[in-house]
């Protein structure tokens, strides 16, 4: 029924702004149950291979898990009563199967084994999808950096015009962070996709001597990493994932902030080109909605990151209350980041880069931002400190009526050391972009290197 949802993630109005289709499917209840059913079928097969349960029992358990039709209303009602969905699901599987299914299903398992292994399966799907999206965004940045390697623009520090740079190099500042995110992802992936099988208190007592072998084979069959020791009270890997998401949001928010600021009418150096974002009252207005949503999603991601450490608040072998937090934090945090990456890719693909306006903004500053360039040219003749003090003194009473070049050309002290041609060259932005090309090249080379690393 339309209009009855209560969160932006399932809202008929807003869900498209906060979720990405593939990520939404990964964290759906359907996929959750598929992971749990796969776990039960797989553990039965592994145990039958080790002679722990009859082979026929494993065959019938696998068949039942494959063919079962879930009674969702009953499952929901019993989950409300029990507080966890595992026992109600096991009851339905048992009721749908043969006596062998009822006798040997869930052998040696506990609820947490399914919860944590199911979470690891979905984190595996999540991180693989996010890696694909990071690569897509990185490729878009690479393409833009190469195209605009010599598109000169005003570099700003502390929101004030500072010196000359290029849009290509500025884009590489985002790409350098994407490179590090890809490396971080590769490093945390094995920890994030580690499953759990330990029974009631994690010591594999209900499986006996073959417990370690069961765990090894089960994780291998599920495509998960084998845990080391007992991890029932540990949620550090999950928290690490959410904190990693927050770092990626930092890059995407900075990109959004720059596009929004540089798109202001007086600056007009870049402009979102996706369309939409219209005002309900002002016909001329086109709002930067991609940037706005990336900023919003970043704030949400940072909120999840600040709350995630609460999952570490555990005691004894395990506690349920803090663990339940990942039921909301992980799906929402994953959707927020995936959606922001989707918006970032589209933003970069449609971004309008106004090269003429970027160059014209040097004229708006009347080339005062080339003062360091001229100072360094002068320093080669009279020394850095003397050159700095001379130019600083010269500009102390500048009113903006005259351009930087006019002021410098009128200075007899500077003209004693630099010719008119040298002064003009020092005021040319492209003459003062330093190692621009090399910095772009090394950033792109690093991206090409890290994108080939397999996380699996």
């Amino acid at each position: 029924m339309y209009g009855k949802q209560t969160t932006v993630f399932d809202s008929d109005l807003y869900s498209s702004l906060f979720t990405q289709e593939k990520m939404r499917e990964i964290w759906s209840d359907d996929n959750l149950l598929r992971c749990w059913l796969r776990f039960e079928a797989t553990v039965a097969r592994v145990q039958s291979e080790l002679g722990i349960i009859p082979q026929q029992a494993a065959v019938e358990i696998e068949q039942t898990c494959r063919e079962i039709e879930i009674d969702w209303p009953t499952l929901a009602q019993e989950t409300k009563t029990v507080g966890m969905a595992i026992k109600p699901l096991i009851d339905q599987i048992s009721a749908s199967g043969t006596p062998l299914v009822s006798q040997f299903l869930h052998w040696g398992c506990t609820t947490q084994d399914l919860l944590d292994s199911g979470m690891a399966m979905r984190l595996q799907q999540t991180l693989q999808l996010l890696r694909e999206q990071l690569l897509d965004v990185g490729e878009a940045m690479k393409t833009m950096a190469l195209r605009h390697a010599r598109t000169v623009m005003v570099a700003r520090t502390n929101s004030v015009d500072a010196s000359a740079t290029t849009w290509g190099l500025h884009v590489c500042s985002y790409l350098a962070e994407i490179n590090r995110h890809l490396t971080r992802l590769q490093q945390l992936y094995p920890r994030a996709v580690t499953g759990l099988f330990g029974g009631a208190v994690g010591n594999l007592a209900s499986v006996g001597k073959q417990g370690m072998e069961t765990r090894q084979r089960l994780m291998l069959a599920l495509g998960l990493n084998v845990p080391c020791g007992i991890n029932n009270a540990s949620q550090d890997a999950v928290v690490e994932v959410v904190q990693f998401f927050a770092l990626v949001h930092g890059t995407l928010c900075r990109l959004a902030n720059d596009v929004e600021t540089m798109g202001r009418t007086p600056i007009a150096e870049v402009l979102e080109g996706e369309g939409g974002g219209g005002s309900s009252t002002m016909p001329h207005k086109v709002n930067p909605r991609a940037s706005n949503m990336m900023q919003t999603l970043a704030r949400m991601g940072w909120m999840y990151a600040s709350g995630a450490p609460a999952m570490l608040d555990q005691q004894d072998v395990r506690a349920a209350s803090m663990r339940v937090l990942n039921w909301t934090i992980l799906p929402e945090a994953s959707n927020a980041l995936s959606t922001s990456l989707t918006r970032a890719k589209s933003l970069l693909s449609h971004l309008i880069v106004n090269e003429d306006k970027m160059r014209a903004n040097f004229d708006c500053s009347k080339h005062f931002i080339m003062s360091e360039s001229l100072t360094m040219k002068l320093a080669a003749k009279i020394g850095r400190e003397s050159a700095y003090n001379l130019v600083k003194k010269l500009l102390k009473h500048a009113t903006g009526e005259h351009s930087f070049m006019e002021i410098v050309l009128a200075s007899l002290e500077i003209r004693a050391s630099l010719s008119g041609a040298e002064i003009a060259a020092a005021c040319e932005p492209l003459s003062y972009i330093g190692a621009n090309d090399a910095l772009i090249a090394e950033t792109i080379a690093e991206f090409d290197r890290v994108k080939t690393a397999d996380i699996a």
Side-chain angles (χ1 to χ4, degrees):
M1 183 179 297
Y2 282 102
K4 299 300 181 181
Q5 291 76 13
T6 58
T7 78
V8 294
F9 292 97
D10 59 13
S11 167
D12 294 315
L13 296 178
Y14 297 123
S15 63
S16 63
L17 298 175
F18 291 89
T19 63
Q20 189 263 4
E21 183 178 359
K22 291 181 180 178
M23 190 63 76
R24 186 168 60 244
E25 170 57 25
I26 288 172
W27 292 100
S28 68
D29 286 346
D30 277 335
N31 191 45
L32 174 60
L33 261 60
R34 283 196 295 271
C35 290
W36 287 347
L37 291 168
R38 181 184 170 204
F39 181 96
E40 291 292 353
T42 305
V43 73
R45 174 167 53 81
V46 167
Q47 290 175 336
S48 71
E49 293 169 353
L50 293 171
I52 298 172
I53 69 172
Q55 184 176 5
Q56 185 58 33
V59 170
E60 294 178 14
I61 289 171
E62 286 191 85
Q63 181 179 356
T64 304
C65 288
R66 184 172 59 251
E67 297 176 355
I68 188 173
E69 294 185 7
I70 300 297
D71 182 344
W72 284 95
T74 299
L75 182 62
Q77 181 58 45
E78 293 183 355
T79 296
K80 179 180 178 181
T81 301
V82 175
M84 298 278 177
I86 302 301
K87 185 181 183 302
L89 176 64
I90 298 302
D91 290 343
Q92 285 200 27
I93 301 172
S94 296
S96 300
T98 64
L100 278 177
V101 172
S102 181
Q103 184 178 357
F104 293 103
L105 178 69
H106 203 59
W107 192 269
C109 302
T110 192
T111 291
Q112 189 184 350
D113 293 334
L114 272 76
L115 289 176
D116 282 19
S117 293
M119 180 177 63
M121 290 183 219
R122 290 181 295 162
L123 276 176
Q124 184 179 59
Q125 298 165 3
T126 293
L127 294 178
Q128 289 174 352
L129 174 57
L130 290 176
R131 182 176 183 274
E132 292 175 6
Q133 292 187 278
L134 280 167
L135 290 174
D136 286 343
V137 169
E139 289 290 356
M141 290 177 177
K142 172 183 173 180
T143 298
M144 184 168 289
L146 290 172
R147 181 181 302 148
H148 294 284
R150 287 303 182 103
T151 300
V152 70
M153 61 175 283
V154 176
R156 302 172 179 93
T157 60
N158 299 312
S159 300
V160 177
D161 290 358
S163 189
T165 189
T166 69
W167 176 240
L169 183 60
H170 190 72
V171 170
C172 275
S173 72
Y174 313 129
L175 182 58
E177 293 183 18
I178 296 294
N179 292 343
R180 293 192 288 275
H181 296 324
L182 288 167
T183 299
R184 291 184 182 103
L185 177 54
Q186 183 184 15
Q187 292 167 345
L188 68 83
Y189 183 82
R191 296 186 287 275
V193 301
T194 298
L196 184 72
F197 178 72
V201 296
N203 61 5
L204 297 159
S206 55
V207 190
K209 295 180 180 180
Q210 293 177 295
M212 297 292 280
E213 180 66 17
T214 301
R215 186 182 71 170
Q216 176 77 25
R217 292 194 184 193
L218 173 60
M219 296 305 149
L220 181 64
L222 291 174
L224 301 177
N225 284 330
V226 182
C228 178
I230 183 170
N231 293 279
N232 296 63
S234 302
Q235 291 283 285
D236 53 294
V238 183
V239 175
E240 182 183 16
V241 168
V242 182
Q243 303 286 4
F244 164 68
F245 290 174
L247 295 177
V248 180
H249 277 299
T251 300
L252 301 181
C253 188
R254 185 164 71 87
L255 168 63
N257 290 344
D258 286 346
V259 169
E260 182 183 51
T261 301
M262 294 169 65
R264 289 176 176 174
T265 302
I267 301 174
E269 293 176 343
V270 298
L271 183 68
E272 290 189 11
E274 298 178 69
S279 166
S280 62
T281 59
M282 295 169 282
H284 74 280
K285 202 164 185 284
V286 180
N287 297 303
R289 288 301 181 221
S291 297
N292 294 163
M293 281 308 303
M294 289 163 64
Q295 292 160 338
T296 296
L297 293 164
R299 286 162 176 78
M300 293 172 66
W302 297 332
M303 177 179 67
Y304 299 130
S306 68
M311 290 186 283
L312 303 175
D313 184 13
Q314 294 278 329
Q315 71 275 341
D316 300 320
V317 174
R318 68 168 174 267
S321 57
M322 288 70 76
R323 186 175 303 277
V324 171
L325 291 174
N326 70 43
W327 298 357
T328 180
I329 289 177
L330 272 180
E332 293 183 17
S334 299
N335 269 291
L337 180 55
S338 185
T339 304
S340 190
L341 285 166
T342 300
R343 297 304 294 256
K345 179 186 176 183
S346 183
L347 170 67
L348 290 165
S349 299
H350 295 89
L351 191 67
I352 299 170
V353 180
N354 190 338
E355 299 180 35
D356 293 337
K357 185 63 175 177
M358 285 183 173
R359 184 62 186 241
N361 281 340
F362 280 96
D363 297 329
C364 292
S365 71
K366 297 191 175 181
H367 282 66
F368 277 86
I369 62 175
M370 299 308 295
S371 65
E372 185 190 47
S373 173
L374 183 111
T375 298
M376 296 309 297
K377 189 79 84 172
L378 186 60
K381 304 289 182 68
I382 64 174
R384 199 204 72 83
E385 186 174 3
S386 296
Y388 176 86
N389 290 335
L390 175 57
V391 176
K392 182 78 172 179
K393 179 182 177 182
L394 187 66
L395 299 182
K396 184 177 181 180
H397 302 293
T399 62
E401 181 181 353
H402 300 287
S403 71
F404 177 68
M405 187 179 297
E406 288 173 333
I407 294 171
V408 172
L409 287 172
S411 170
L412 297 178
E413 291 178 278
I414 293 179
R415 291 302 300 272
S417 299
L418 296 177
S419 68
E422 288 174 316
I423 292 172
C427 291
E428 164 53 44
L430 278 174
S431 74
Y432 201 65
I433 58 173
N436 176 84
D437 296 353
L439 290 167
I440 292 174
E442 72 174 4
T443 307
I444 290 174
E446 176 64 5
F447 174 68
D448 289 338
R449 185 190 70 80
V450 297
K451 75 180 182 182
T452 62
D454 192 359
I455 63 171

